[in-house]
Every structure is written in structure tokens, then in C-alpha cells.
Amino acid sequence: MSGDSAYAAAPFDHAKADIILRSSDNIDFRVFKLFLSLASLSFEKLFEIPQPTEASNVQGIKDGLAVIRVQENSKTLDTLLRFCYPCTLADDPKLEVLKDLVDVLAAARKYSLTTIERKVYQALSNPKILEAEPLRCFAIARRGRAHEETILAAKYTLTQPLIPSWFQEISLISATDLLALLTYHQKCGDAVYALRSDVLWIQSHYGSSEGCPWLPRRSKSPSETKGPRVKGLYVTSVGDDNSSCRCATSTTPTYKLFKSQPPKWWEDFMMETFVALRDKPCRATVESFVAKTVQSVRKQGCPTCSVNISEHMRDFSEVMTRKVEEVVSRVALTLMLL
């Protein structure tokens, strides 16, 4: 009997296979019972069914082979079988979409494929999956007691707001686990936000005001400044370029470096970025505000700052990101033992 079914692609179309597994979407996989039986006792018991009966999963005969219908769709079954087959016949599949991973994990549990379960959990370390669904990855890894993957997923949740929206796998974790994750997130945000109070980490990297290309060579008092003035602000020359910088500087800067007065746009960047980092203490937050600042400075049209703003802020972005990640790495996620 063939019905509307079609054969799967290689290596599951082998002429010498001794049984057929039919997926829920009617794709027939010609497989070797020995490979699957060695991988799982559940498969071994499944293959012990002697002949087609109304009470069994055996659907009949196709091309001389017994056909067993399974609940998994062809995509999930293909992935699961590739994990079961020897590497000389099929490479381990790549799991790059969380839904696929969840489906394969459910199938691995169903057929008692413990080794494959571990491999699937390891796939949760894939940055592509973590970046797209960090909270779901956390819940799945935590439920599976995959400690390293749980810790890694927790770090990726820092790209999300402190108070998360509902997510599909939230029922997999306890209220205690969720509270631990939110506490970790808050501690990371507070630790990063504390960096605003001491700019020594910036000064130690650049060494001097000459090392900070966005800083004026020296602060000029209003009496020294020639040309147009703005209330509470005045004009300076910046970096290695002796041309006049049109960017305003505050007379009472919050982030004063090397006794120099940074441009107001840099002050604004620092203040806005630290507020955002408290909610999302991660690289993406820094990069987002760097991009915003570059656009803003270029729009102002300063002949000095706008020319090299992208290069200068890209450099500072790396410095700030490294510091944020260093601080976050010192914060521990405390979870109860399962």
C-alpha cells in the first residue's frame, strides 16, 4: 500500500532498508532497524510488533516492507533519524530554529533517546537561536537541567526588558526560577548603571585627553572664547584638528574626563545610554545609542566632529561594551538545585 505517501530523501531511501517509518505528513523513511534499535530501546520494542493488526501502529506493507506510522512530521523525523544514524551515513543535523529544536526534543524524550536529548540541549548554545528567543531557551534549558545552557541563555535575556512579556515555555519553569532570572537581570542592570559614577575606566583606557579624539584640547572659559556663544555653553577645538568645533559643551559636565569638558552630545549619549543599560545591560544597547548619536552629530553639521564621529564612537563603543560585559560577568545567577 502506498496511498499518497512519498519516499524521503537520502539516506532514508536505501534499497536495502528493512522497515518504513511514515511521518504524520505521509513521508516514508526507509530505515534500518538495527541502527534505531541500538540507539533506543523504544525503537527496539516498536519493531517487535510481529504483523499488521488493528491495534498496532503498523499500517501495512509497501514495497515488501512493513510500514509504521509515527506522530512526528517529516522534518522532525528526518532530524531525529540523522542523530540515530552512524556519522558515515548521515551528519548530525543543525538546529537553528527554536521550534525545530523543541519538536526534536519532544521526540527524543518520547523514544528515550537520552544522548540525543543532550545534543539538542547543546544546540541551545547556538547564538542565532539565543538572540531570537532567549527567554524560551532559558526555560527549555532549565527544565532539562542543562546548567551551562541555562546560564548562557540567562545572559542573552539581558537583551530583553527587565520585565518580560509572556512567552510560550513559561510554564516549564517555576515561579522561583523566574524570580531568580529577574533578580539576576536587575543586579546586572544596577551593576552596569553604577559605572556612570566613576569614569576612571574610561581614563585608564585612553590615558590622556589627547587619547580621546572627541575631547577638546583644553577647556576655554567664556572670556577666552571668540565668536558666537550659547547661554551656559561655549565653543572649543577638538582632538588633533585645530579647527573650531561648533558643538556646545556644558559648563557643569557630569562626565568630566582629564579636566576637560566633553561636547554636550557626548554627555547626552552617556546619560541616555546608562538609563537604557539599566533595563537592558548588553552590547546591543550600547550599539543602538552609538548609532543614534552618530546620526545626531552628523545632523548638527559640525565641521570637526561630524567628519570622524563614526570612527570615534565605534572605538568608544567597544571600550564601553567590554566594560559592560566585564561587569555583567561578575554577577551570578542563583538557581535552586533540581
Side-chain angles (χ1 to χ4, degrees):
M1 58 160 262
S2 60
D4 296 325
S5 64
Y7 278 125
F12 307 119
D13 59 350
H14 203 287
K16 294 185 178 181
D18 50 15
I19 199 163
I20 293 173
L21 297 183
R22 176 169 292 164
S23 67
S24 61
D25 50 346
N26 289 322
I27 301 299
D28 291 340
F29 291 75
R30 295 175 64 97
V31 295
F32 292 91
K33 289 188 285 187
L34 176 61
F35 294 154
L36 304 189
S37 297
L38 290 175
S40 167
L41 183 61
S42 295
F43 275 126
E44 183 177 358
K45 291 181 178 179
L46 183 65
F47 299 146
E48 287 176 353
I49 300 174
Q51 58 185 8
T53 67
E54 292 183 1
S56 74
N57 289 333
V58 178
Q59 300 296 302
I61 302 296
K62 179 179 178 180
D63 296 338
L65 299 181
V67 178
I68 298 179
R69 179 174 289 278
V70 295
Q71 295 179 344
E72 291 71 32
N73 63 34
S74 58
K75 188 172 185 180
T76 301
L77 188 58
D78 182 275
T79 302
L80 189 73
L81 295 176
R82 287 179 187 277
F83 276 125
C84 294
Y85 262 47
C87 61
T88 53
L89 296 179
D91 293 331
D92 281 354
K94 292 182 179 180
L95 294 170
E96 297 182 329
V97 178
L98 188 59
K99 184 184 183 306
D100 297 342
L101 187 151
V102 171
D103 290 344
V104 174
L105 184 59
R109 287 172 176 165
K110 173 182 174 182
Y111 296 108
S112 303
L113 294 163
T114 306
T115 302
I116 295 177
E117 276 192 65
R118 287 197 295 268
K119 289 184 177 181
V120 174
Y121 281 123
Q122 290 170 2
L124 286 173
S125 300
N126 186 329
K128 185 176 180 180
I129 295 178
L130 284 167
E131 289 170 3
E133 303 281 1
L135 287 163
R136 296 178 67 191
C137 288
F138 173 84
I140 294 168
R142 177 60 175 163
R143 179 62 175 268
R145 303 183 182 184
H147 182 70
E148 291 184 5
E149 288 76 15
T150 301
I151 298 298
L152 182 60
K155 291 181 179 179
Y156 272 82
T157 65
L158 299 178
T159 63
Q160 307 296 306
L162 173 60
I163 305 301
S165 301
W166 181 90
F167 55 97
Q168 188 172 343
E169 281 74 22
I170 193 170
S171 61
L172 297 181
I173 58 176
S174 66
T176 302
D177 290 335
L178 183 59
L179 180 60
L181 180 64
L182 298 183
T183 300
Y184 165 76
H185 194 132
Q186 185 174 40
K187 286 182 177 179
C188 288
D190 290 346
V192 171
Y193 190 66
L195 291 173
R196 81 198 191 287
S197 303
D198 185 1
V199 295
L200 183 60
W201 56 276
I202 302 176
Q203 295 185 160
S204 62
H205 175 81
Y206 288 101
S208 67
S209 59
E210 285 74 17
C212 303
W214 66 87
L215 285 179
R217 285 180 174 274
R218 67 183 184 90
S219 299
K220 293 184 178 182
S221 65
S223 61
E224 295 177 307
T225 305
K226 297 179 181 180
R229 290 172 55 185
V230 182
K231 184 178 180 180
L233 308 168
Y234 50 91
V235 179
T236 61
S237 61
V238 176
D240 296 329
D241 189 343
N242 290 319
S243 62
S244 179
C245 172
R246 297 178 183 175
C247 295
T249 60
S250 174
T251 56
T252 56
T254 303
Y255 304 96
K256 194 168 185 177
L257 301 172
F258 305 109
K259 299 181 179 180
S260 296
Q261 292 173 304
K264 186 175 182 300
W265 59 257
W266 192 77
E267 285 265 309
D268 292 342
F269 161 77
M270 292 289 282
M271 286 189 285
E272 292 173 5
T273 303
F274 273 118
V275 169
L277 281 169
R278 197 166 199 177
D279 190 45
K280 299 179 182 178
C282 63
R283 171 184 287 272
T285 300
V286 177
E287 293 178 343
S288 174
F289 279 87
V290 164
K292 177 183 175 183
T293 298
V294 169
Q295 291 180 353
S296 176
V297 172
R298 284 177 173 169
K299 188 175 181 180
Q300 292 175 21
C302 172
T304 301
C305 293
S306 62
V307 174
N308 298 311
I309 182 64
S310 181
E311 178 184 351
H312 294 166
M313 287 306 293
R314 184 170 60 248
D315 177 73
F316 182 70
S317 174
E318 286 301 315
V319 175
M320 192 174 197
T321 296
R322 284 198 298 270
K323 191 63 180 179
V324 167
E325 292 177 345
E326 175 190 328
V327 169
V328 167
S329 69
R330 295 198 292 264
V331 179
L333 171 65
T334 305
L335 292 168
M336 294 180 63
L337 294 176
L338 293 177

Tab-separated table of all heavy atoms in Angstrom, residues 269-314:
chain	number	residue	atom	x	y	z
A	269	PHE	N	24.776	61.370	25.231
A	269	PHE	CA	24.937	59.944	24.899
A	269	PHE	C	25.144	59.120	26.161
A	269	PHE	O	24.494	58.074	26.347
A	269	PHE	CB	26.124	59.750	23.944
A	269	PHE	CG	26.646	58.339	23.904
A	269	PHE	CD1	25.975	57.358	23.199
A	269	PHE	CD2	27.797	57.989	24.602
A	269	PHE	CE1	26.444	56.043	23.176
A	269	PHE	CE2	28.277	56.684	24.587
A	269	PHE	CZ	27.594	55.705	23.866
A	270	MET	N	26.038	59.565	27.023
A	270	MET	CA	26.343	58.816	28.240
A	270	MET	C	25.120	58.698	29.143
A	270	MET	O	24.791	57.611	29.635
A	270	MET	CB	27.499	59.478	28.984
A	270	MET	CG	28.834	59.396	28.263
A	270	MET	SD	29.511	57.715	28.253
A	270	MET	CE	30.169	57.617	29.924
A	271	MET	N	24.433	59.798	29.347
A	271	MET	CA	23.275	59.776	30.237
A	271	MET	C	22.161	58.882	29.695
A	271	MET	O	21.598	58.055	30.415
A	271	MET	CB	22.767	61.205	30.457
A	271	MET	CG	23.664	62.028	31.370
A	271	MET	SD	22.959	63.622	31.847
A	271	MET	CE	23.182	64.546	30.334
A	272	GLU	N	21.847	59.020	28.433
A	272	GLU	CA	20.776	58.227	27.828
A	272	GLU	C	21.136	56.743	27.776
A	272	GLU	O	20.282	55.876	28.011
A	272	GLU	CB	20.480	58.745	26.426
A	272	GLU	CG	19.862	60.135	26.395
A	272	GLU	CD	19.746	60.681	24.984
A	272	GLU	OE1	20.068	59.933	24.027
A	272	GLU	OE2	19.339	61.842	24.823
A	273	THR	N	22.390	56.467	27.462
A	273	THR	CA	22.820	55.070	27.349
A	273	THR	C	22.780	54.357	28.689
A	273	THR	O	22.331	53.213	28.778
A	273	THR	CB	24.235	54.984	26.749
A	273	THR	OG1	24.258	55.634	25.484
A	273	THR	CG2	24.661	53.529	26.568
A	274	PHE	N	23.232	55.027	29.752
A	274	PHE	CA	23.217	54.386	31.064
A	274	PHE	C	21.796	54.133	31.560
A	274	PHE	O	21.532	53.115	32.206
A	274	PHE	CB	24.007	55.216	32.082
A	274	PHE	CG	25.472	54.900	32.097
A	274	PHE	CD1	26.409	55.856	31.771
A	274	PHE	CD2	25.912	53.619	32.414
A	274	PHE	CE1	27.767	55.552	31.767
A	274	PHE	CE2	27.263	53.302	32.417
A	274	PHE	CZ	28.190	54.275	32.092
A	275	VAL	N	20.874	55.021	31.266
A	275	VAL	CA	19.469	54.791	31.640
A	275	VAL	C	18.955	53.540	30.926
A	275	VAL	O	18.298	52.692	31.529
A	275	VAL	CB	18.603	56.011	31.294
A	275	VAL	CG1	17.125	55.668	31.441
A	275	VAL	CG2	18.954	57.195	32.196
A	276	ALA	N	19.262	53.422	29.639
A	276	ALA	CA	18.816	52.260	28.864
A	276	ALA	C	19.516	50.978	29.317
A	276	ALA	O	18.912	49.904	29.346
A	276	ALA	CB	19.063	52.500	27.381
A	277	LEU	N	20.792	51.094	29.683
A	277	LEU	CA	21.548	49.920	30.120
A	277	LEU	C	21.006	49.342	31.418
A	277	LEU	O	21.157	48.153	31.680
A	277	LEU	CB	23.027	50.274	30.298
A	277	LEU	CG	23.861	50.358	29.019
A	277	LEU	CD1	25.221	50.968	29.306
A	277	LEU	CD2	24.020	48.980	28.381
A	278	ARG	N	20.395	50.152	32.209
A	278	ARG	CA	19.819	49.636	33.460
A	278	ARG	C	18.707	48.636	33.172
A	278	ARG	O	18.476	47.709	33.945
A	278	ARG	CB	19.292	50.796	34.314
A	278	ARG	CG	19.063	50.414	35.765
A	278	ARG	CD	18.869	51.620	36.639
A	278	ARG	NE	19.096	51.297	38.034
A	278	ARG	CZ	19.055	52.173	39.009
A	278	ARG	NH1	18.816	53.458	38.744
A	278	ARG	NH2	19.264	51.802	40.259
A	279	ASP	N	18.016	48.833	32.061
A	279	ASP	CA	16.940	47.921	31.670
A	279	ASP	C	17.453	46.789	30.796
A	279	ASP	O	17.033	45.640	30.944
A	279	ASP	CB	15.861	48.693	30.914
A	279	ASP	CG	14.613	47.864	30.683
A	279	ASP	OD1	14.157	47.182	31.633
A	279	ASP	OD2	14.073	47.897	29.567
A	280	LYS	N	18.401	47.101	29.907
A	280	LYS	CA	18.972	46.097	29.009
A	280	LYS	C	20.500	46.219	29.024
A	280	LYS	O	21.094	46.856	28.148
A	280	LYS	CB	18.457	46.285	27.587
A	280	LYS	CG	16.953	46.147	27.427
A	280	LYS	CD	16.560	46.371	25.969
A	280	LYS	CE	15.068	46.298	25.760
A	280	LYS	NZ	14.703	46.558	24.341
A	281	PRO	N	21.156	45.619	30.008
A	281	PRO	CA	22.614	45.743	30.142
A	281	PRO	C	23.381	44.829	29.188
A	281	PRO	O	23.869	43.769	29.569
A	281	PRO	CB	22.854	45.350	31.609
A	281	PRO	CG	21.733	44.401	31.921
A	281	PRO	CD	20.550	44.856	31.116
A	282	CYS	N	23.485	45.266	27.934
A	282	CYS	CA	24.099	44.409	26.928
A	282	CYS	C	24.720	45.244	25.807
A	282	CYS	O	24.511	46.462	25.726
A	282	CYS	CB	23.067	43.446	26.340
A	282	CYS	SG	21.736	44.301	25.465
A	283	ARG	N	25.463	44.567	24.955
A	283	ARG	CA	26.134	45.207	23.819
A	283	ARG	C	25.147	45.922	22.903
A	283	ARG	O	25.408	47.019	22.428
A	283	ARG	CB	26.917	44.154	23.031
A	283	ARG	CG	27.475	44.649	21.698
A	283	ARG	CD	28.151	43.538	20.926
A	283	ARG	NE	29.421	43.184	21.519
A	283	ARG	CZ	30.578	43.775	21.232
A	283	ARG	NH1	30.612	44.768	20.345
A	283	ARG	NH2	31.688	43.385	21.816
A	284	ALA	N	24.031	45.278	22.632
A	284	ALA	CA	23.073	45.844	21.685
A	284	ALA	C	22.599	47.227	22.115
A	284	ALA	O	22.363	48.102	21.273
A	284	ALA	CB	21.883	44.900	21.535
A	285	THR	N	22.453	47.437	23.416
A	285	THR	CA	22.016	48.740	23.920
A	285	THR	C	23.051	49.816	23.609
A	285	THR	O	22.712	50.905	23.137
A	285	THR	CB	21.767	48.672	25.439
A	285	THR	OG1	20.756	47.715	25.711
A	285	THR	CG2	21.341	50.023	25.986
A	286	VAL	N	24.306	49.515	23.871
A	286	VAL	CA	25.381	50.475	23.592
A	286	VAL	C	25.421	50.792	22.103
A	286	VAL	O	25.467	51.965	21.700
A	286	VAL	CB	26.749	49.917	24.053
A	286	VAL	CG1	27.876	50.886	23.681
A	286	VAL	CG2	26.741	49.663	25.554
A	287	GLU	N	25.395	49.769	21.277
A	287	GLU	CA	25.482	49.967	19.829
A	287	GLU	C	24.302	50.777	19.298
A	287	GLU	O	24.456	51.586	18.382
A	287	GLU	CB	25.573	48.619	19.126
A	287	GLU	CG	26.887	47.888	19.419
A	287	GLU	CD	26.960	46.527	18.773
A	287	GLU	OE1	25.887	45.996	18.370
A	287	GLU	OE2	28.067	45.962	18.675
A	288	SER	N	23.135	50.569	19.875
A	288	SER	CA	21.949	51.307	19.447
A	288	SER	C	22.103	52.806	19.702
A	288	SER	O	21.801	53.628	18.828
A	288	SER	CB	20.719	50.772	20.190
A	288	SER	OG	19.584	51.561	19.901
A	289	PHE	N	22.601	53.160	20.873
A	289	PHE	CA	22.741	54.580	21.203
A	289	PHE	C	23.948	55.209	20.505
A	289	PHE	O	23.961	56.416	20.253
A	289	PHE	CB	22.799	54.772	22.716
A	289	PHE	CG	21.445	54.765	23.355
A	289	PHE	CD1	20.862	53.574	23.739
A	289	PHE	CD2	20.731	55.939	23.534
A	289	PHE	CE1	19.594	53.550	24.297
A	289	PHE	CE2	19.461	55.934	24.097
A	289	PHE	CZ	18.886	54.735	24.477
A	290	VAL	N	24.941	54.411	20.195
A	290	VAL	CA	26.061	54.915	19.390
A	290	VAL	C	25.553	55.322	18.012
A	290	VAL	O	25.872	56.400	17.504
A	290	VAL	CB	27.178	53.855	19.271
A	290	VAL	CG1	28.143	54.207	18.134
A	290	VAL	CG2	27.949	53.758	20.581
A	291	ALA	N	24.760	54.454	17.403
A	291	ALA	CA	24.205	54.751	16.077
A	291	ALA	C	23.337	56.004	16.121
A	291	ALA	O	23.398	56.855	15.218
A	291	ALA	CB	23.399	53.558	15.577
A	292	LYS	N	22.550	56.133	17.157
A	292	LYS	CA	21.693	57.305	17.317
A	292	LYS	C	22.525	58.578	17.456
A	292	LYS	O	22.206	59.616	16.860
A	292	LYS	CB	20.801	57.122	18.551
A	292	LYS	CG	19.914	58.305	18.863
A	292	LYS	CD	19.110	58.062	20.145
A	292	LYS	CE	18.310	59.295	20.539
A	292	LYS	NZ	17.575	59.076	21.824
A	293	THR	N	23.618	58.503	18.213
A	293	THR	CA	24.477	59.662	18.432
A	293	THR	C	25.198	60.068	17.155
A	293	THR	O	25.327	61.252	16.842
A	293	THR	CB	25.501	59.361	19.545
A	293	THR	OG1	24.794	59.097	20.762
A	293	THR	CG2	26.461	60.528	19.759
A	294	VAL	N	25.671	59.096	16.408
A	294	VAL	CA	26.356	59.379	15.144
A	294	VAL	C	25.421	60.144	14.208
A	294	VAL	O	25.815	61.155	13.596
A	294	VAL	CB	26.839	58.073	14.474
A	294	VAL	CG1	27.295	58.337	13.045
A	294	VAL	CG2	27.973	57.450	15.281
A	295	GLN	N	24.196	59.713	14.107
A	295	GLN	CA	23.228	60.393	13.253
A	295	GLN	C	22.956	61.812	13.740
A	295	GLN	O	22.872	62.753	12.955
A	295	GLN	CB	21.920	59.601	13.211
A	295	GLN	CG	22.023	58.279	12.467
A	295	GLN	CD	20.707	57.532	12.441
A	295	GLN	OE1	19.732	57.932	13.083
A	295	GLN	NE2	20.659	56.432	11.702
A	296	SER	N	22.846	61.961	15.059
A	296	SER	CA	22.546	63.269	15.641
A	296	SER	C	23.668	64.273	15.396
A	296	SER	O	23.428	65.422	15.014
A	296	SER	CB	22.299	63.115	17.146
A	296	SER	OG	22.105	64.370	17.758
A	297	VAL	N	24.912	63.836	15.606
A	297	VAL	CA	26.063	64.735	15.432
A	297	VAL	C	26.220	65.120	13.961
A	297	VAL	O	26.505	66.275	13.639
A	297	VAL	CB	27.348	64.080	15.976
A	297	VAL	CG1	28.581	64.929	15.628
A	297	VAL	CG2	27.240	63.892	17.482
A	298	ARG	N	26.045	64.166	13.086
A	298	ARG	CA	26.135	64.481	11.650
A	298	ARG	C	25.068	65.487	11.237
A	298	ARG	O	25.307	66.357	10.405
A	298	ARG	CB	26.016	63.203	10.839
A	298	ARG	CG	27.282	62.353	10.849
A	298	ARG	CD	27.083	61.058	10.095
A	298	ARG	NE	28.334	60.323	9.959
A	298	ARG	CZ	28.424	59.075	9.528
A	298	ARG	NH1	27.316	58.412	9.214
A	298	ARG	NH2	29.595	58.478	9.430
A	299	LYS	N	23.906	65.349	11.842
A	299	LYS	CA	22.808	66.271	11.532
A	299	LYS	C	23.136	67.693	11.978
A	299	LYS	O	22.734	68.668	11.335
A	299	LYS	CB	21.525	65.783	12.204
A	299	LYS	CG	20.281	66.542	11.792
A	299	LYS	CD	19.044	65.928	12.409
A	299	LYS	CE	17.787	66.682	11.983
A	299	LYS	NZ	16.562	66.079	12.594
A	300	GLN	N	23.899	67.822	13.062
A	300	GLN	CA	24.281	69.146	13.559
A	300	GLN	C	25.250	69.845	12.611
A	300	GLN	O	25.337	71.067	12.589
A	300	GLN	CB	24.919	69.025	14.949
A	300	GLN	CG	23.947	68.587	16.037
A	300	GLN	CD	24.624	68.363	17.374
A	300	GLN	OE1	25.724	68.878	17.613
A	300	GLN	NE2	23.996	67.585	18.244
A	301	GLY	N	26.003	69.056	11.859
A	301	GLY	CA	26.876	69.613	10.833
A	301	GLY	C	28.155	70.248	11.320
A	301	GLY	O	28.749	71.080	10.617
A	302	CYS	N	28.637	69.868	12.496
A	302	CYS	CA	29.914	70.413	12.978
A	302	CYS	C	31.040	69.959	12.050
A	302	CYS	O	31.204	68.758	11.823
A	302	CYS	CB	30.188	69.933	14.397
A	302	CYS	SG	31.842	70.351	15.006
A	303	PRO	N	31.840	70.893	11.493
A	303	PRO	CA	32.895	70.515	10.546
A	303	PRO	C	33.990	69.655	11.164
A	303	PRO	O	34.723	68.973	10.452
A	303	PRO	CB	33.442	71.853	10.065
A	303	PRO	CG	33.134	72.803	11.172
A	303	PRO	CD	31.816	72.352	11.734
A	304	THR	N	34.110	69.694	12.496
A	304	THR	CA	35.143	68.906	13.167
A	304	THR	C	34.623	67.544	13.615
A	304	THR	O	35.175	66.510	13.273
A	304	THR	CB	35.693	69.668	14.388
A	304	THR	OG1	36.239	70.909	13.964
A	304	THR	CG2	36.783	68.856	15.084
A	305	CYS	N	33.537	67.554	14.371
A	305	CYS	CA	33.032	66.300	14.955
A	305	CYS	C	32.359	65.387	13.934
A	305	CYS	O	32.518	64.171	13.984
A	305	CYS	CB	32.058	66.612	16.088
A	305	CYS	SG	32.824	67.378	17.528
A	306	SER	N	31.585	65.967	13.032
A	306	SER	CA	30.795	65.141	12.122
A	306	SER	C	31.644	64.327	11.160
A	306	SER	O	31.227	63.267	10.694
A	306	SER	CB	29.814	66.019	11.336
A	306	SER	OG	30.511	66.958	10.533
A	307	VAL	N	32.857	64.785	10.872
A	307	VAL	CA	33.718	64.093	9.910
A	307	VAL	C	34.127	62.710	10.411
A	307	VAL	O	34.061	61.720	9.688
A	307	VAL	CB	34.968	64.938	9.597
A	307	VAL	CG1	35.928	64.149	8.715
A	307	VAL	CG2	34.580	66.250	8.949
A	308	ASN	N	34.555	62.640	11.675
A	308	ASN	CA	35.085	61.389	12.212
A	308	ASN	C	34.220	60.784	13.314
A	308	ASN	O	34.669	59.903	14.043
A	308	ASN	CB	36.501	61.618	12.763
A	308	ASN	CG	37.476	62.064	11.694
A	308	ASN	OD1	37.538	61.457	10.635
A	308	ASN	ND2	38.228	63.116	11.964
A	309	ILE	N	33.002	61.264	13.454
A	309	ILE	CA	32.159	60.800	14.562
A	309	ILE	C	31.940	59.298	14.530
A	309	ILE	O	31.946	58.630	15.568
A	309	ILE	CB	30.806	61.549	14.563
A	309	ILE	CG1	29.944	61.099	15.749
A	309	ILE	CG2	30.064	61.357	13.252
A	309	ILE	CD1	30.533	61.422	17.094
A	310	SER	N	31.753	58.713	13.358
A	310	SER	CA	31.502	57.280	13.268
A	310	SER	C	32.689	56.477	13.787
A	310	SER	O	32.534	55.550	14.582
A	310	SER	CB	31.198	56.890	11.823
A	310	SER	OG	30.936	55.494	11.732
A	311	GLU	N	33.886	56.843	13.362
A	311	GLU	CA	35.103	56.145	13.799
A	311	GLU	C	35.323	56.302	15.297
A	311	GLU	O	35.629	55.340	16.003
A	311	GLU	CB	36.303	56.681	13.028
A	311	GLU	CG	37.624	56.065	13.448
A	311	GLU	CD	38.802	56.702	12.726
A	311	GLU	OE1	38.570	57.496	11.793
A	311	GLU	OE2	39.949	56.401	13.112
A	312	HIS	N	35.173	57.554	15.787
A	312	HIS	CA	35.423	57.823	17.200
A	312	HIS	C	34.436	57.085	18.098
A	312	HIS	O	34.822	56.487	19.103
A	312	HIS	CB	35.337	59.330	17.468
A	312	HIS	CG	36.418	60.111	16.786
A	312	HIS	ND1	36.377	61.484	16.658
A	312	HIS	CD2	37.574	59.710	16.189
A	312	HIS	CE1	37.463	61.893	16.019
A	312	HIS	NE2	38.196	60.835	15.715
A	313	MET	N	33.172	57.107	17.735
A	313	MET	CA	32.160	56.452	18.567
A	313	MET	C	32.217	54.935	18.430
A	313	MET	O	31.875	54.216	19.380
A	313	MET	CB	30.767	56.965	18.202
A	313	MET	CG	30.504	58.396	18.679
A	313	MET	SD	30.798	58.617	20.456
A	313	MET	CE	29.484	57.615	21.147
A	314	ARG	N	32.636	54.426	17.300
A	314	ARG	CA	32.803	52.977	17.152
A	314	ARG	C	33.883	52.483	18.112
A	314	ARG	O	33.748	51.439	18.746
A	314	ARG	CB	33.147	52.626	15.711
A	314	ARG	CG	33.244	51.112	15.479
A	314	ARG	CD	33.332	50.779	13.998
A	314	ARG	NE	34.483	51.376	13.367
A	314	ARG	CZ	34.433	52.344	12.467
A	314	ARG	NH1	33.250	52.839	12.111
A	314	ARG	NH2	35.530	52.843	11.929
